[in-house]
Amino acid sequence: MDLLQLRYFIESAKTESFTKTAQKYTVPASSVSASIKRLEDELGVQLFDRKANRIKLNAKGHMFAETLSLAFDQTNAVISEITALEQPKREITLLVLARRGWITDLVIQYQKQHPEISFRMSHNGGVTDRSIFDIIIDEQSDRYIGYTHFVLMTEKLCIKAHKDSPFAGKQLTVSHLQNAPFIMMDKTTTMRQILQKHSMRCNFTPNIVVECEDRHCLLKCVNAGLGLTIGTVSALNDPLELDMVPLDVSDFCETQTICLYHRQCHKEDTGISGFVEFLLKNGSE
């Protein structure tokens, strides 16, 4: 018996049709039928029950097909692995300035599916030459001239506090928060600018008690009850935010739109275009 003969059998076992197997392998149906008949003769058992122009996999055929399918799966997996070793690694560079945790999870998922792709991620918003990156994840902005962009998601924002905060459970306006302590990122971040916009509207300067550059540090301070912060409503499902609640602030209605930016010249790069499609699919979901 040979490999092609066994592949004919596996396909015929799935479809219970020599004709469909022949169509897949672009050979005459008679060739498939004769090949499987030789296989049955060699094994000394009948794998299909034949009636008129129909075939049906019998019990012995089922047993043989199940074991053979496992062997083929393992063989195909090994072939993929050794082939990937011979292929040059394709590195995709990312500048991730929004939804870092979510993007990181997607990078992990994609890299497991495509081991031939490697990633280099930066979260440094102070980078001046952003053209060195294949893909940029950032809030919607007009700063990326010459880039193609896609909207990944639009999320609702809220002012957050620890669940034991004295502000939790109350009906508020932004004016009620003029003396409230805030935990925020630096002045260049969108959340900080949103806070500044609302405080200026209400004629007060926000009371920033902790300014930090790391989200985990920020959340740890909020969870310790040191102050309030601004973030997405969806992030409240994050394990790091399970003890945090959105405040009921009637005149705070903000959203954040996250976009994917890349240069048009990358369109023909299958490594980048494949990952872009993956991000868009998961963003839309």
Side-chain angles (χ1 to χ4, degrees):
M1 64 185 73
D2 58 51
L3 190 60
L4 184 58
Q5 190 179 43
L6 297 176
R7 290 192 183 279
Y8 284 170
F9 166 71
I10 285 294
E11 186 63 27
S12 299
K14 291 178 182 177
T15 62
E16 293 191 326
S17 169
F18 293 154
T19 301
K20 291 181 179 178
T21 299
Q23 290 172 347
K24 177 175 180 178
Y25 288 95
T26 62
V27 296
S30 58
S31 297
V32 175
S33 177
S35 180
I36 291 178
K37 183 64 172 65
R38 288 194 300 273
L39 175 62
E40 291 176 319
D41 291 342
E42 187 170 347
L43 293 173
V45 296
Q46 196 170 348
L47 302 172
F48 292 93
D49 294 330
R50 295 165 173 81
K51 289 185 179 181
N53 293 324
R54 299 183 61 185
I55 61 170
K56 186 170 181 61
L57 195 67
N58 60 31
K60 293 175 183 177
H62 275 292
M63 186 183 303
F64 189 49
E66 287 178 3
T67 303
L68 198 57
S69 293
L70 291 174
F72 270 121
D73 288 344
Q74 293 175 348
T75 301
N76 292 335
V78 171
I79 291 173
S80 296
E81 288 181 15
I82 62 176
T83 302
L85 292 175
E86 296 300 316
Q87 297 176 349
K89 280 270 188 177
R90 172 62 172 96
E91 182 182 76
I92 297 177
T93 54
L94 293 168
L95 177 61
V96 185
L97 302 178
R99 292 305 303 268
R100 297 179 184 181
W102 178 67
I103 294 296
T104 300
D105 288 341
L106 291 180
V107 165
I108 292 170
Q109 184 180 341
Y110 192 80
Q111 208 283 324
K112 286 181 178 179
Q113 297 173 6
H114 301 272
E116 75 281 5
I117 302 291
S118 61
F119 291 89
R120 181 163 56 86
M121 287 194 289
S122 172
H123 303 109
N124 183 5
V127 174
T128 53
D129 183 10
R130 299 187 175 183
S131 65
I132 63 175
F133 297 99
D134 297 320
I135 296 172
I136 300 173
I137 308 297
D138 198 359
E139 296 159 16
Q140 192 168 43
S141 168
D142 57 4
R143 77 181 72 175
Y144 297 107
I145 300 173
Y147 286 79
T148 298
H149 79 277
F150 301 95
V151 174
L152 288 176
M153 61 179 65
T154 298
E155 300 182 290
K156 185 177 180 180
L157 302 180
C158 65
I159 300 176
K160 305 178 181 183
H162 186 268
K163 61 185 179 182
D164 295 329
S165 166
F167 295 101
K170 296 181 178 179
Q171 292 185 336
L172 305 166
T173 64
V174 173
S175 295
H176 290 127
L177 305 177
Q178 60 180 319
N179 296 317
F182 276 88
I183 318 295
M184 300 296 296
M185 298 284 198
D186 64 71
K187 295 179 180 179
T188 64
T189 61
T190 299
M191 302 303 173
R192 182 71 172 268
Q193 291 169 3
I194 288 173
L195 175 61
Q196 188 67 32
K197 179 183 75 173
H198 282 275
S199 60
M200 288 180 62
R201 175 174 61 82
C202 296
N203 297 314
F204 70 86
T205 300
N207 178 23
I208 310 296
V209 296
V210 177
E211 182 180 290
C212 56
E213 298 178 352
D214 179 74
R215 177 174 178 265
H216 287 77
C217 173
L218 182 149
L219 296 179
K220 194 169 184 178
C221 290
V222 176
N223 281 321
L226 296 186
L228 316 179
T229 194
I230 297 176
T232 63
V233 173
S234 62
L236 290 166
N237 295 318
D238 189 312
L240 296 173
E241 298 194 22
L242 292 182
D243 288 331
M244 295 167 59
V245 294
L247 299 185
D248 182 7
V249 184
S250 60
D251 55 347
F252 185 88
C253 300
E254 297 282 348
T255 59
Q256 179 188 48
T257 299
I258 306 299
C259 291
L260 179 156
Y261 299 88
H262 73 99
R263 293 192 178 278
Q264 188 67 24
C265 60
H266 293 153
K267 187 176 180 180
E268 302 304 320
D269 188 317
T270 56
I272 296 176
S273 60
F275 185 57
V276 167
E277 289 176 9
F278 176 77
L279 292 178
L280 293 177
K281 178 178 182 295
N282 284 274
S284 63
E285 290 178 351

